[in-house]
């Protein structure tokens, strides 16, 4: 009787130990694949697996997420992206086309430079992070922030070009009065970067060149350059007359043996055309 009780007790103890081992194993497996506990409330996680690639489902805090990819050692990693607003102060400056040439050519050294200071606040749509990763726009937090900053710089340059065009026809135009919504619309930022949300995009300071003076100096410069071309044409014509006798002597030679002189006038005309365009 005691032997039977002992066997029963042993079987019961073995079952209990086995159940515990299975439970521990299952718990370990569960925690290895449980991912949302690694993501904070202001972040989004993306599972990147060597076997499965980039997961199409984001990992967010408070929403159950389990991935078998983590059961294979060194197969998967969870990349966490912090979701917040990024603030930038961007400066766009430059000189009107050939402005430095005109400045050096005339007394008084007219300044044809421009400058814009932008205050920008932008954030990225969390649900678009996976899509952008698959398009290889970025791969981690650092490259994501660089991507966002590069996008804001592109919009700032587009806004600057738009402001220059407006100021060239309206001397009273002030970029500081343009609101965020109008800048986003005028630059096409919403279509170009639909994954970004611009909370603020304004100009804190703007400096324009004197467009009337620029056009006046440009016209005078082109006029002087044109006169130089005409003088060269006259000089070339005179030289052609002086060399006409020598050309007659060469006329009897085969065409392939005649070497025509280089037409410098044609080069100058090409330079003027390129300059004006």
């Amino acid at each position: 009787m005691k032997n039977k009780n002992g066997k029963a007790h042993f079987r019961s103890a073995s079952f209990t130990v086995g159940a515990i081992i299975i439970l521990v194993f299952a718990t370990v497996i569960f925690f290895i694949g449980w991912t949302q506990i690694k993501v904070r409330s202001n972040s989004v996680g993306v599972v990147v697996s060597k076997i499965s690639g980039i997961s199409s489902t984001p990992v967010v805090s408070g929403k159950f997420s389990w991935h078998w990819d983590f059961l294979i050692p060194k197969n998967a990693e969870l990349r966490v992206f912090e979701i917040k607003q990024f603030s930038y102060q961007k400066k766009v400056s430059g000189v009107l086309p050939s402005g430095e040439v005109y400045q050096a050519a005339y007394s008084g050294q007219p300044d044809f430079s421009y400058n814009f200071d932008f205050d920008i606040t932008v954030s990225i749509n969390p649900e678009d992070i996976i899509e952008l990763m698959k398009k290889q726009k970025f791969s981690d937090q650092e490259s994501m922030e660089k991507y966002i900053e590069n996008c804001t710089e592109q919009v700032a340059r587009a806004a600057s070009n738009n402001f220059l065009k407006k100021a060239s026809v309206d001397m009273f135009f002030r970029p500081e009065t343009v609101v965020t919504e109008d800048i986003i619309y005028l630059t096409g930022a919403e279509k170009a970067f639909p994954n970004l949300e611009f909370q603020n995009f304004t100009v804190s300071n703007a400096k324009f060149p004197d467009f009337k003076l620029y056009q006046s100096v440009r016209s005078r410069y082109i006029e002087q350059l044109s006169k130089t071309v005409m003088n060269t044409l006259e000089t070339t014509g005179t030289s052609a007359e002086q060399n006409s006798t020598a050309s007659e002597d060469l006329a009897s030679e085969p065409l392939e043996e005649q070497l025509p002189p280089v037409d410098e006038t044609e080069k100058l005309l090409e330079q003027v055309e390129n300059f004006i365009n």
Side-chain angles (χ1 to χ4, degrees):
M1 190 69 180
K2 290 182 179 181
N3 189 25
K4 290 184 178 181
N5 290 336
K7 288 182 179 181
H9 180 73
F10 176 78
R11 290 174 182 174
S12 178
S14 299
F15 177 80
T16 302
V17 171
I20 293 175
I21 292 175
I22 293 173
L23 181 61
V24 170
F25 180 76
T27 303
V28 171
I29 294 297
F30 175 79
F31 274 98
I32 290 176
W34 195 17
T35 50
Q36 89 267 14
I37 60 171
K38 305 172 185 177
V39 179
R40 294 175 294 182
S41 59
N42 61 337
S43 301
V44 170
V46 179
V47 175
V48 181
S49 169
K50 293 179 181 179
I51 296 177
S52 307
I54 300 175
S55 174
S56 299
T57 305
V59 181
V60 295
S61 177
K63 184 177 180 181
F64 179 75
S65 177
W66 190 89
H67 293 79
W68 66 266
D69 306 81
F70 290 96
L71 301 180
I72 302 175
K74 298 182 180 180
N75 172 59
E77 63 175 316
L78 179 66
R79 299 181 186 177
V80 180
F81 297 87
E82 184 180 4
I83 304 303
K84 64 178 182 178
Q85 292 183 349
F86 298 93
S87 296
Y88 304 101
Q89 289 183 330
K90 292 296 179 181
K91 179 186 293 291
V92 178
S93 59
V95 181
L96 294 180
S98 302
E100 294 177 346
V101 176
Y102 302 152
Q103 184 182 39
Y106 291 92
S107 59
Q109 300 290 302
D111 183 12
F112 298 125
S113 64
Y114 57 85
N115 177 76
F116 302 100
D117 294 326
F118 291 92
D119 291 329
I120 306 168
T121 303
V122 60
S123 60
I124 190 169
N125 296 325
E127 58 271 19
D128 294 333
I129 288 180
I130 291 178
E131 175 190 352
L132 292 170
M133 286 185 66
K134 289 183 176 181
K135 291 181 178 179
Q136 299 182 347
K137 297 297 183 180
F138 53 79
S139 58
D140 52 23
Q141 179 73 23
E142 183 179 358
S143 58
M144 182 189 74
E145 293 184 13
K146 188 63 178 178
Y147 166 78
I148 295 174
E149 186 172 5
N150 287 339
C151 292
T152 61
E153 289 177 351
Q154 293 182 47
V155 179
R157 286 195 293 269
S160 300
N161 292 335
N162 185 277
F163 295 157
L164 288 171
K165 290 179 182 179
K166 287 184 174 295
S168 66
V169 296
D170 181 6
M171 61 180 299
F172 297 105
F173 172 69
R174 293 293 178 268
E176 297 90 338
T177 63
V178 183
V179 297
T180 299
E181 290 76 11
D182 290 340
I183 291 180
I184 299 305
Y185 173 77
L186 292 172
T187 58
E190 190 172 4
K191 292 183 178 179
F193 307 109
N195 311 110
L196 301 181
E197 294 182 359
F198 293 95
Q199 287 79 29
N200 181 60
F201 208 118
T202 54
V203 179
S204 58
N205 182 57
K207 171 183 174 287
F208 287 110
D210 189 329
F211 287 99
K212 288 186 177 180
L213 178 60
Y214 172 78
Q215 292 295 343
S216 175
V217 172
R218 179 178 183 273
S219 298
R220 290 171 58 192
Y221 189 89
I222 294 176
E223 182 181 357
Q224 290 184 4
L225 192 60
S226 300
K227 289 180 180 179
T228 302
V229 173
M230 295 304 297
N231 292 336
T232 304
L233 283 171
E234 294 176 358
T235 303
T236 303
T238 303
S239 299
E241 291 178 0
Q242 293 175 349
N243 295 328
S244 60
T245 304
S247 299
E248 291 176 0
D249 295 338
L250 293 172
S252 59
E253 299 179 5
L255 290 176
E256 60 269 16
E257 296 181 3
Q258 298 182 21
L259 300 176
V262 177
D263 191 351
E264 296 295 337
T265 303
E266 201 171 290
K267 289 185 177 181
L268 285 172
L269 287 172
E270 185 179 353
Q271 292 176 2
V272 172
E273 184 178 355
N274 292 336
F275 176 78
I276 295 175
N277 294 333

